[in-house]
């Protein structure tokens, strides 16, 4: 995502809906990128190849940067789709993450909906649209085409939604085809210049940031105006959390105390990091794109964000060597299967949309994604040779095998992304105390949970 996100990802922005669902946790000992180690060939030959039609058009929207790993892979997928579907043209429109996030409901309710589009996963986004009847149930196709064999149970979590829109069970309303997780990017040249080594513990991480501050360098590039800052807040909270907390918060499988040790620590530590100079107060106005560009320019030695930046950095960072490491000390990390391909219920070419999705899961497309810096789920790992990419995939495997995917903080409630952006900005600016902010963000969460009868 060139933007990226994630969550948003990014990822970053998302929402939930309903009642308590299921485990997600499945995560534990599953495949991952490693999936790549034993590629599933189910998608090797698009069922669709047979679907042809002179004059037909497949309308496709996604928000991946052309320079990013997914952008490169999807571009090749489009070529393969058109080659295997004589007479069918792909009409692709690149959208912005925020653009789709803010208008999806309206567009999907109209006759302007595309045939297939990338959309953020989670209860608050894909789950909400599924519960409103705006997305196509792809369960039969997922089974028939073997997608349920390609995606491990933990990666399927964000593809499945129940009738209330809660992820982890129910029907297939989306298909993810890559993994993502939040990590620490670092500038090796700046680490060497200031005598800083890669930290392996949280104390070492803060000591490293102290070294930069003493040298007059702000350690962390942080986009406080969008998703990145809330992911740092959540990462800090996760350092005091366990799987039960994640399931309670994300899946409504228990009560969440916003004044408990997890969120209290996350909020107070974030404020502490601003006061110590680890994060600039100006970060409140910095967008994700500006954050990434600042790291690329060598302005900051570190950036905490998602794997969606990886491919882009491989292409665009020329002036220094860089690397990544998992957030020191954490067993839980923001992350999940990547954003979803969804098919609007109003799509006029669902058969073509299924075929396109299937091509994006093919081993050769997944290998392109991996070599471009993405986290593939069905690649031929023997053809991925870049040591950086291998490190990226290895770290994702480490997280998944330890049941460490903790999703994203904005997933539980529709519209929660904006609530968290505002709350975290108040923490960064000092406008409100941690306890006040936690009270604020607890209200919509509790209201939504009550409304769902959870």
């Amino acid at each position: 995502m060139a933007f990226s996100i994630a969550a948003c990802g990014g990822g970053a922005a998302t929402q939930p809906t309903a009642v308590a669902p299921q485990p997600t946790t499945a995560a534990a000992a599953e495949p991952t990128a490693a999936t790549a180690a034993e590629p599933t060939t189910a998608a090797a030959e698009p069922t669709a190849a047979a679907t042809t039609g002179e004059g037909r058009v497949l309308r496709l929207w996604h928000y991946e940067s052309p320079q990013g790993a997914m952008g490169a892979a999807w571009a090749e997928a489009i070529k393969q789709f058109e080659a295997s579907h004589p007479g069918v043209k792909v009409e692709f429109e690149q959208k912005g993450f925020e653009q789709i996030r803010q208008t999806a409901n309206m567009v999907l309710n109209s006759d302007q909906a595309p045939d297939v589009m990338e959309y953020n996963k989670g209860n608050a986004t894909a789950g909400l649209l599924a519960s409103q009847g705006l997305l196509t149930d792809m369960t039969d196709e997922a089974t028939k085409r073997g997608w349920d064999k390609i995606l491990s149970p933990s990666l399927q979590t964000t593809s499945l939604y129940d009738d209330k829109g809660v992820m982890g069970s129910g029907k297939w309303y989306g298909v993810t085809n890559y993994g993502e997780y939040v990590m620490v990017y670092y500038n090796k040249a700046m680490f060497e210049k200031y005598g800083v080594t890669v930290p392996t513990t949280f104390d070492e991480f803060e000591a490293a940031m102290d070294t930069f501050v003493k040298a007059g360098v702000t350690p962390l590039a942080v986009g406080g105006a969008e998703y990145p800052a809330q992911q740092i807040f959540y990462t800090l909270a996760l350092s005091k959390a366990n799987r039960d907390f994640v399931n309670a918060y994300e899946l409504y499988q228990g009560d969440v105390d916003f004044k408990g040790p997890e969120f209290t620590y996350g909020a107070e530590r974030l404020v502490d990091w601003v006061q110590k100079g680890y994060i600039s107060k100006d970060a409140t106005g910095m967008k994700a794109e500006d954050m990434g560009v600042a790291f690329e320019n060598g302005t900051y030695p570190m950036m905490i964000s998602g794997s969606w930046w990886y491919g882009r950095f491989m292409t665009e960072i020329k002036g220094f060597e860089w690397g990544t490491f998992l957030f020191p000390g954490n067993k839980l990390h923001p992350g999940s299967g990547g954003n979803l391909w969804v098919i609007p219920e109003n799509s006029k070419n669902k058969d073509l949309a299924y075929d396109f999705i299937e091509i994006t899961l093919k081993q050769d497309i997944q290998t392109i994604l991996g070599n471009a810096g993405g986290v593939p789920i069905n690649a031929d790992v023997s053809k991925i040779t870049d040591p950086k990419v291998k490190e990226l995939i290895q770290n994702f495997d480490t997280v998944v095998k330890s049941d460490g995917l903790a999703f994203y903080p904005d997933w539980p409630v529709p519209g929660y992304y904006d609530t968290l952006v505002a709350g975290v900005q108040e923490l960064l600016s000092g406008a409100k105390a941690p306890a006040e902010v936690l009270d604020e963000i607890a209200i919509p969460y509790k209201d939504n949970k009550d409304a769902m009868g959870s």
Side-chain angles (χ1 to χ4, degrees), residues 56-60 81 88-92 115-116 347 349-354 356:
R56 295 186 70 187
V57 175
L58 175 72
R59 298 183 63 224
L60 164 68
F81 175 89
V88 180
K89 178 178 175 54
V90 176
E91 190 175 273
F92 166 59
D115 296 307
V116 58
S347 166
N349 296 287
K350 293 181 181 179
D351 57 332
L352 298 179
Y354 295 137
F356 177 77

Side-chain angles (χ1 to χ4, degrees), residues 268-399:
E268 291 182 346
R269 206 65 176 192
L270 189 64
V271 170
D272 184 54
W273 279 15
V274 175
Q275 293 173 342
K276 288 182 176 177
Y278 300 166
I279 299 172
S280 169
K281 288 187 176 179
D282 294 337
T284 54
M286 183 180 284
K287 294 185 176 181
E289 174 67 15
D290 298 331
M291 173 191 74
V293 171
F295 180 74
E296 285 186 343
N297 290 338
T299 305
Y300 300 88
M302 289 186 281
M303 182 184 96
I304 300 172
S305 195
S307 50
W308 44 86
W309 292 98
Y310 210 92
R312 177 173 170 181
F313 287 169
M314 287 178 63
T315 302
E316 297 183 355
I317 295 180
K318 304 295 186 184
F320 59 86
E321 292 295 320
W322 57 277
T324 65
F325 54 87
L326 292 173
F327 192 83
N330 270 35
K331 293 182 179 178
L332 294 167
H333 305 266
S336 70
N339 289 318
L340 305 172
W341 289 123
V342 299
I343 300 177
E345 185 59 37
N346 288 339
S347 166
K348 299 176 179 63
N349 296 287
K350 293 181 181 179
D351 57 332
L352 298 179
Y354 295 137
D355 291 349
F356 177 77
I357 292 173
E358 186 159 307
I359 288 174
T360 66
L361 288 169
K362 286 176 56 182
Q363 194 178 116
D364 60 337
I365 297 296
Q366 288 284 310
T367 302
I368 290 173
L369 188 153
N371 276 319
V375 181
I377 59 172
N378 193 35
D380 181 349
V381 177
S382 67
K383 295 182 179 177
I384 295 177
T385 56
D386 189 304
K388 263 190 193 316
V389 175
K390 286 188 172 182
E391 177 187 64
L392 172 74
I393 295 173
Q394 182 178 18
N395 282 337
F396 186 66
D397 284 347
T398 298
V399 172

Side-chain angles (χ1 to χ4, degrees), residues 100 104-109 113-139 158-162 165 171-175 340-347 350 354 357:
I100 290 182
N105 188 290
M106 179 178 64
V107 171
L108 268 60
N109 255 317
D115 296 307
V116 58
M117 61 184 277
E118 180 181 12
Y119 196 55
N120 204 359
K121 65 282 179 191
N123 302 350
T125 44
L128 178 64
L129 296 187
S131 70
Q132 294 173 336
L134 297 176
L135 300 182
T136 298
D137 172 9
M138 294 188 273
T139 305
T158 52
S159 293
L160 304 174
Y161 296 89
D162 66 16
K171 300 177 180 177
W172 287 70
Y173 285 103
V175 178
L340 305 172
W341 289 123
V342 299
I343 300 177
E345 185 59 37
N346 288 339
S347 166
K350 293 181 181 179
Y354 295 137
I357 292 173

Side-chain angles (χ1 to χ4, degrees), residues 420-441:
L420 290 179
V421 167
V424 173
Q425 282 182 315
E426 291 169 341
L427 291 174
L428 295 175
S429 67
K432 291 186 178 179
E436 294 178 277
V437 171
L438 294 177
D439 282 338
E440 282 183 354
I441 66 175

